[in-house]
Amino acid sequence: IDQAQELERAGIQLLVLECVPTSLAAKISELLHIPVIGIGAGAKTDGQILVMHDMFGISANYMPKFSKNYLAVTGDMREAVKAYIDEVQNGTFPSSEHSFD
């Protein structure tokens, strides 16, 4: 947490946390005044990233824990993107299933 605050004081404009435990990501997001974006860091960050290949399930034989195949759920690329946006905005993605403790 101290290092994140030092980075903020040094002038970074945003911070991306990947595969960081949910509780730590939440603390960092709460302490910093810059946007904190998560990828596998839980739902308590300021925003989320999900690689489109993972969102559509077209990655080569590997699906990261923090990913969700929205195309398999919706059957349509536009609907998959819409479902992702809706779930991020209402806080249901990422769930604990897609985060690290």
Side-chain angles (χ1 to χ4, degrees):
I1 293 176
D2 292 338
Q3 292 168 334
Q5 289 174 311
E6 286 179 34
L7 289 169
E8 183 178 41
R9 285 191 293 273
I12 65 169
Q13 299 297 305
L14 65 90
L15 180 64
V16 176
L17 301 177
E18 184 172 351
C19 299
V20 172
T22 300
S23 60
L24 178 59
K27 287 178 187 173
I28 291 170
S29 296
E30 185 179 308
L31 287 174
L32 298 184
H33 298 93
I34 58 172
V36 177
I37 310 300
I39 181 167
K44 299 296 183 185
T45 56
D46 300 309
Q48 299 294 323
I49 294 173
L50 186 57
V51 175
M52 289 186 71
H53 284 73
D54 296 336
M55 179 188 297
F56 298 145
I58 56 176
S59 298
N61 300 320
Y62 175 70
M63 180 64 84
K65 173 184 172 40
F66 52 79
S67 295
K68 180 176 177 179
N69 183 343
Y70 283 91
L71 184 58
V73 174
T74 65
D76 178 89
M77 287 183 155
R78 285 185 211 125
E79 290 300 315
V81 172
K82 183 182 180 313
Y84 167 73
I85 292 168
D86 290 345
E87 288 188 12
V88 169
Q89 288 179 339
N90 69 31
T92 57
F93 182 84
S95 66
S96 59
E97 173 187 355
H98 304 103
S99 302
F100 297 89
D101 294 328

